[in-house]
Amino acid sequence: MLYQRPKGTHDILPTEVPRWQHAEAAFRELCRLYNYEEIRTPVFEQTELFVRAVGENTDIVAKEMYTSEDRGGRSLTLRAEGTAPVVRAYLESNLQGQDPQRLTKLFYIAPVFRYDRPQAGRYRQHHQAGAEAIGSSQPEVDAEIIQLSMAFFARLGLDEVTLLLNSVGCPTCRPESAQALQDFVKPHLDEMCADCQRRYETNPLRLLDCKNERCRQIMQPAPSMLDMLCIECAEHFDKLQQTLDLLDIAYTVDPHIVRGLDYYTKTAFEFVAPGLGAQDSIGGGGRYDPLIEQCGGPPTPAVGVGIGLERVLIAQESAGVVQEEAPREGVFVVTISEAAWPEGLKLLAQLRAAGIPAEIDYRQRSIRAQLRYADAEGYRWAAILGEDELQQQTVTLRDMVSGEQESIPQSELIARLSAEL
Ligand SMILES: [Zn+2]
Ligand SMILES: [Zn+2]
């Protein structure tokens, strides 16, 4: 082997693709039901977009982005998270339209690139399904985004997903909680990890979600941001909880959920599933009211979610949710003489044109080898063409499950199979 896939990446092999398609189809279908429209943005953006939107002092921007210069000397970055590109496209193409009251609801399924330490369920290219609701400050919209996510997990058989909920405040009340966290941490600072020592200065809220064991112990009794919310943030958080109660969505308030991005305000949430170890988050999101203005638009409140599809699939495996084996379908055209070969090729084309999956053995091996192959490839039927069949204008249709065979006029084969499939 001369080449291997780059470290931290993975191939999605044909045997795994049906699970991906199933998850993606479930997400698309739910977005349709909830009135979110799909958007597809480029895989790279101007670096400045992520720096401005995600925040210079976040881990993502400080050390996880795939950034390089193109031949024109422009700094470009592979999609480092899902929301900033959607907001950029929303502003650039004026998706808001003429109605300032319009709630613009968008979703995407796209790869995300982070230079992260590879570990179970963490890849340098991973895939995210996300939804964004732009243009409302109502906590009921936060609840809708959460409800959509929970419906997605339920469709995938993940009944054990826990919703962790927090509020990270707003520019009015956050300086106070940041200061309180710094005051609390100061006496312990030299015991904390290098990341936390940096966060202490640049991003104190993130001290709360360090995964380092010692840091977690230290932060356990830290002051809660929830006690320092301004009236507006506190009311928003109350209303969100009331709405979740109304919708029968269970949650746990966890003041340590802060998310790794600077743009979050008020609501922050995470979904955790059992069986993923320390990296048990399968998605999360929150409100990002200042982001659209930061990106050059008018003040526009918004809320969104991003779900890690690799993590979701691992959670399905841990939960024992296994997709049923794909049912047998399609027809394998078996030719058993030189003269039957061109007729077989014509029949193959007719079947495919009629919407019936079909295959043939281009090596023209023995009938036994062809039938064995058709069986191994999971075909439902074999359509056998030999000398007798050619003379009588028939085809012998073999049921690959029961082994039963019958003779059918060639002209009736497609109508017959269409009715069966
Ligand atoms: Zn506030
Ligand atoms: Zn730490």
Coordinates of all heavy atoms in Angstrom, one line a residue, residues 193 196 199 210 212 215, ligand 2:
C193 N -4.8 23.0 33.6 CA -4.1 22.7 32.4 C -3.7 23.9 31.6 O -4.2 25.0 31.9 CB -5.0 21.7 31.5 SG -6.3 22.6 30.7
C196 N -6.5 25.9 30.0 CA -7.3 26.7 31.0 C -6.5 28.0 31.4 O -7.1 29.0 31.6 CB -7.7 25.9 32.2 SG -9.1 24.8 31.9
R199 N -7.3 30.2 28.7 CA -8.7 30.6 28.7 C -8.9 31.6 29.8 O -9.8 32.4 29.7 CB -9.6 29.4 28.9 CG -9.6 28.4 27.7 CD -10.3 27.1 28.1 NE -10.3 26.2 27.0 CZ -10.2 24.9 27.2 NH1 -10.1 24.4 28.5 NH2 -10.1 24.1 26.2
C210 N -13.8 22.5 30.5 CA -12.6 21.7 30.2 C -12.8 20.3 30.6 O -13.5 19.9 31.5 CB -11.4 22.3 31.1 SG -9.9 21.5 30.7
N212 N -10.4 18.1 31.1 CA -9.3 17.7 32.0 C -9.9 17.4 33.4 O -10.6 18.1 34.0 CB -8.2 18.8 32.1 CG -7.1 18.4 33.0 OD1 -7.2 18.3 34.2 ND2 -5.9 18.2 32.4
C215 N -9.1 19.9 36.2 CA -9.8 21.1 36.0 C -11.3 21.0 36.3 O -11.9 21.9 36.9 CB -9.6 21.6 34.5 SG -8.0 21.9 34.0
Ligands
ZN2 ZN -8.3 22.6 31.8

